[in-house]
Amino acid sequence: CYSEGAKVGKVLDAFPAFKASDAQDGTLQKIVGRVVLAGQKPFYAPVSGKSCVYFKTTVKEERLEVSQHRDRNGVMRRNVRNVWYTIAVASQFSNFYLQDGNSKVFVPGDRGSCRIQSKKGTGRSGIWSG
């Protein structure tokens, strides 16, 4: 199964990328451009320390889960497995623009209903869906 972010990425892969100057209001489209903060003070991702317009951090704890059962011969067996539990999740959004040259498109990131998917290995925002 794909995560929700992977599903959004697969759908957006089918769309051509438009520069901010070619964006059309009211249509579903993939827009690319440089991220520019929309008038607020920047904030910093807690793990990387880099300034950003969005981050999501999940802290998980590994625990041993132990269960016991009797096998067909009546012998007590013990199963031990490692399980990861989420103990904290933090995220922060900010309004920003996608800009190319003098044209820019406003993205209301502070609504909190947006999804951002990073391009693997680059550390930069890749896909925005909201």
Side-chain angles (χ1 to χ4, degrees):
C1 283
Y2 290 110
S3 68
E4 185 174 348
K7 290 175 187 175
V8 170
K10 285 190 150 300
V11 169
L12 287 176
D13 283 344
F15 287 87
F18 291 96
K19 296 187 300 183
S21 57
D22 296 328
Q24 297 177 359
D25 193 24
T27 63
L28 178 61
Q29 56 196 307
K30 179 168 51 175
I31 302 170
V32 296
R34 196 179 104 231
V35 173
V36 177
L37 192 61
Q40 296 121 344
K41 292 171 62 175
F43 58 89
Y44 300 89
V47 176
S48 69
K50 294 182 179 181
S51 62
C52 58
V53 294
Y54 165 80
F55 75 80
K56 181 177 181 182
T57 300
T58 303
V59 177
K60 294 186 176 191
E61 176 179 77
E62 184 179 24
R63 300 179 190 166
L64 292 180
E65 190 173 86
V66 180
S67 62
Q68 295 182 356
H69 70 281
R70 293 192 185 275
D71 66 12
R72 291 185 293 184
N73 300 322
V75 176
M76 187 62 78
R77 300 287 181 185
R78 185 174 129 172
N79 293 326
V80 179
R81 66 184 188 129
N82 296 11
V83 180
W84 287 93
Y85 289 92
T86 300
I87 59 173
V89 176
S91 63
Q92 188 171 348
F93 296 87
S94 180
N95 294 333
F96 66 93
Y97 294 98
L98 284 175
Q99 182 175 6
D100 84 86
N102 292 327
S103 299
K104 56 187 176 182
V105 174
F106 179 72
V107 180
D110 64 356
R111 291 186 186 161
S113 63
C114 301
R115 301 247 179 349
I116 295 177
Q117 181 178 356
S118 296
K119 290 183 178 178
K120 293 181 181 174
T122 65
R124 293 187 217 138
S125 297
I127 297 171
W128 175 270
S129 170

